[in-house]
Amino acid sequence: MEVLHIYHTNDLHSHFEHWPRIHDLVTERRRWHEQEGDEVLLFDIGDHMDRWHPLSDATRGKGNTELLNQAGYDAVTIGNNEGITMPYEDLDSMYEKKQFKVLIANLYRKDGTRPVWAQPYETYITKSGTRIGVIGLTANFSTFYDMLGWKVSDPMEELASCVASLRKETDLIILLSHLGINEDEIIGEKYPEIDLILGGHTHHILHEGKKAGNALLGAAGKYGQFTGHVMIEIEQETKEIRSKKAQLYDMNEWDAAERESEQIESYYQRGKDLLSSPILKLPQKLAASSFEDSPLADLLCRTLREWCEADCAFLNAGLLLHSLEQGPLTEYDLLSVCPHPINPCTIQLTGAELKEVLLQTKDEKWPHLQIKGLGFRGTVMGRFVYDCVEFSDQKILIGHKPLEPKKLYTLAIPDMFTFGRFFPEIYRSKHKTYFLPEFLRDLLKWKILQLYN
């Protein structure tokens, strides 16, 4: 009986607080299994990189590639954080020094060719001759990839093509899916040829896996809190799969790595050092507060409107995590005050729709509301701040003029408000324009240089 051990991680989002333990686990287990004559494969299912962390931001993901190399990963796929939070040239160079395969069947250059660092699938052959086909897919954020110079195709169409190619050439098919749990379940039911689906994107946790058709689904949550392990027993002569078993290891309960705290701090400090060159000297403090008057939030909101050339703008003060102090200002300061991979966005609304949205922002529930996901890397929403919006005697003024119910207005907002269902009028609108690759902190830098350089 041949035994195949597959270890997997997903959605680390540059939370390296468990990485030393993950590294120790996967490298030690590989040594154990290979000493026993078993086969081992190690995969990451995307969103390993997240630019909130200074190492990932400063190196544009190359630091993540280095860590994956050191841990001996065999293949990875990319998530939306690798794919759409960096300019084209940064993603195109992120894997220059990779020692693993990047599997992504639905990513192309605009001319229809694949990037040289990626391939749709790979076939691994074990010592006993078992052929293992591994496919990678990422979520179809076509609008954003297109704006950055890439093209993503329908993952389901690409999957059908890959399965057709691998069906007769392999004994076992594995899918690395950064598509989410719903799509994984659909794929499992639709494709009996697929034996194992390792998933991510929706941060789901499958402690003992889950069956979907013939496929076993495995997923390890987020932030490196778990490492996944799938064991597959295969009849050597017939290549028939006898058993499949999935489990997760809780990294919070795992033995600490040697000099663990020093390693974690070194990742952060290395990135901080790379971002430490002064941009300019701030002549005054720019104060920020989630709940009180916030000059820095006011400045960012005004900058957002100007950058997007909109009629008005609003944002939540909780986007700014602390003040910018008087004195030398660095890229690290901007990252730490505004770490979100959130882009500027405009939306067109009628005056009546805009009024409804603006009145909703006055609801007392917002300031202390805790937000997770949608690119937000803070804690609470904070109070709303506005530019070219005035609330006066039960009237709303846009650019000092009374709001006209039938007039069409362009509103600038952080893009997170278009993804979540905070405001129905925004969510339903079909007239949205996104500004990539700039993050909100890039706009803040632009304005500060304009004001003080």
Side-chain angles (χ1 to χ4, degrees):
M1 191 74 68
E2 182 177 27
V3 180
L4 173 63
H5 295 272
I6 300 165
Y7 290 86
H8 59 99
T9 53
N10 61 273
D11 296 282
L12 196 83
H13 286 279
S14 293
H15 280 262
F16 298 131
E17 54 265 31
H18 297 307
W19 186 254
R21 301 183 187 194
I22 294 172
H23 178 278
D24 282 3
L25 185 155
V26 298
T27 54
E28 185 176 45
R29 289 297 184 90
R30 184 186 289 276
R31 181 172 55 82
W32 287 3
H33 298 318
E34 289 179 347
Q35 285 178 351
E36 293 296 317
D38 294 339
E39 300 287 342
V40 184
L41 289 170
L42 174 58
F43 302 124
D44 185 78
I45 322 300
D47 277 359
H48 189 277
M49 192 280 299
D50 192 314
R51 287 179 57 189
W52 76 269
H53 193 285
L55 178 61
S56 299
D57 190 59
T59 65
R60 293 300 192 267
K62 294 181 180 67
N64 295 75
T65 296
E66 184 180 322
L67 294 177
L68 290 164
N69 283 341
Q70 292 168 359
Y73 276 71
D74 293 288
V76 309
T77 194
I78 72 168
N80 42 290
N81 273 270
E82 288 89 1
I84 60 174
T85 69
M86 295 191 294
Y88 179 96
E89 57 273 14
D90 289 334
L91 174 58
D92 203 34
S93 62
M94 176 177 168
Y95 297 108
E96 283 178 339
K97 296 184 179 180
K98 67 179 175 63
Q99 297 168 11
F100 47 84
K101 303 293 183 182
V102 179
L103 307 180
I104 175 165
N106 61 322
L107 178 70
Y108 297 88
R109 300 189 191 276
K110 280 292 185 73
D111 64 4
T113 62
R114 294 187 186 276
V116 295
W117 44 266
Q119 61 195 74
Y121 55 80
E122 175 70 302
T123 300
Y124 299 88
I125 302 177
T126 69
K127 292 186 291 290
S128 65
T130 301
R131 302 164 302 173
I132 304 165
V134 184
I135 306 165
L137 292 172
T138 197
N140 187 13
F141 291 105
S142 57
T143 299
F144 302 102
Y145 278 100
D146 183 70
M147 293 179 67
L148 291 167
W150 298 102
K151 175 186 175 184
V152 286
S153 55
D154 186 326
M156 297 303 184
E157 291 180 5
E158 296 289 353
L159 179 61
S161 175
C162 291
V163 170
S165 298
L166 291 173
R167 183 185 291 118
K168 296 181 180 179
E169 300 176 2
T170 59
D171 304 299
L172 182 150
I173 297 178
I174 299 171
L175 173 62
L176 312 183
S177 166
H178 197 84
L179 301 178
I181 182 64
N182 293 335
E183 284 75 7
D184 291 350
E185 291 175 341
I186 292 169
I187 290 168
E189 296 291 344
K190 185 175 181 179
Y191 290 96
E193 302 93 338
I194 297 178
D195 301 284
L196 174 64
I197 300 174
L198 300 176
H201 187 48
T202 45
H203 299 177
H204 48 291
I205 300 172
L206 302 176
H207 285 283
E208 296 179 349
K210 181 179 182 179
K211 290 286 287 183
N214 177 59
L216 175 64
L217 275 55
K222 64 178 180 179
Y223 301 167
Q225 293 170 352
F226 297 95
T227 299
H229 180 197
V230 176
M231 292 159 285
I232 301 178
E233 292 185 329
I234 305 165
E235 187 66 50
Q236 286 193 11
E237 293 188 7
T238 64
K239 305 303 179 187
E240 182 180 349
I241 295 175
R242 293 297 188 185
S243 69
K244 294 183 283 190
K245 179 183 177 182
Q247 61 182 316
L248 296 179
Y249 301 118
D250 189 338
M251 293 295 96
N252 289 297
E253 298 178 357
W254 209 254
D255 290 341
E258 185 177 354
R259 300 175 64 187
E260 180 175 88
S261 297
E262 292 178 39
Q263 289 188 61
I264 296 165
E265 176 60 28
S266 72
Y267 303 146
Y268 197 91
Q269 189 62 47
R270 179 183 164 198
K272 184 177 179 179
D273 290 345
L274 290 169
L275 297 171
S276 63
S277 297
I279 299 167
L280 53 67
K281 189 172 182 179
L282 274 181
Q284 62 188 53
K285 177 180 179 178
L286 294 174
S289 170
S290 294
F291 308 114
E292 307 295 335
D293 289 344
S294 177
L296 186 57
D298 292 339
L299 177 64
L300 180 57
C301 192
R302 174 160 60 92
T303 305
L304 175 64
R305 182 190 59 78
E306 291 177 1
W307 182 273
C308 297
E309 298 181 341
D311 298 308
C312 56
F314 71 71
L315 54 77
N316 55 306
L319 285 166
L320 296 166
L321 305 193
H322 58 77
S323 304
L324 289 176
E325 299 297 331
Q326 180 181 2
L329 176 71
T330 67
E331 296 281 2
Y332 173 76
D333 294 325
L334 292 170
L335 172 66
S336 62
V337 78
C338 194
H340 329 279
I342 290 177
N343 305 106
C345 174
T346 60
I347 181 170
Q348 288 192 329
L349 299 170
T350 66
E353 292 170 330
L354 177 59
K355 178 181 178 180
E356 185 62 29
V357 171
L358 292 172
L359 290 175
Q360 289 173 40
T361 65
K362 290 296 187 179
D363 194 305
E364 293 180 358
K365 70 179 181 181
W366 294 119
H368 294 278
L369 183 68
Q370 294 190 345
I371 306 296
K372 295 186 182 299
L374 307 175
F376 188 67
R377 302 290 182 259
T379 305
V380 296
M381 180 74 80
R383 63 189 287 268
F384 280 95
V385 298
Y386 311 87
D387 191 63
C388 288
V389 176
E390 300 172 69
F391 297 87
S392 176
D393 297 326
Q394 298 185 344
K395 292 182 180 180
I396 297 177
L397 306 180
I398 305 297
H400 306 300
K401 296 180 181 180
L403 183 149
E404 301 176 32
K406 295 183 179 180
K407 182 179 177 179
L408 201 61
Y409 291 92
T410 300
L411 170 69
I413 51 175
D415 68 9
M416 62 181 277
F417 292 119
T418 69
F419 305 135
R421 302 194 180 193
F422 299 103
F423 306 105
E425 289 79 9
I426 290 177
Y427 185 78
R428 290 194 299 260
S429 175
K430 297 180 181 179
H431 302 286
K432 303 180 180 81
T433 301
Y434 297 92
F435 294 76
L436 276 69
E438 294 83 10
F439 292 156
L440 294 180
R441 63 177 174 269
D442 296 315
L443 273 62
L444 196 57
K445 176 183 176 180
W446 170 73
K447 177 54 70 174
I448 289 174
L449 284 170
Q450 192 180 77
L451 291 174
Y452 301 114
N453 193 16

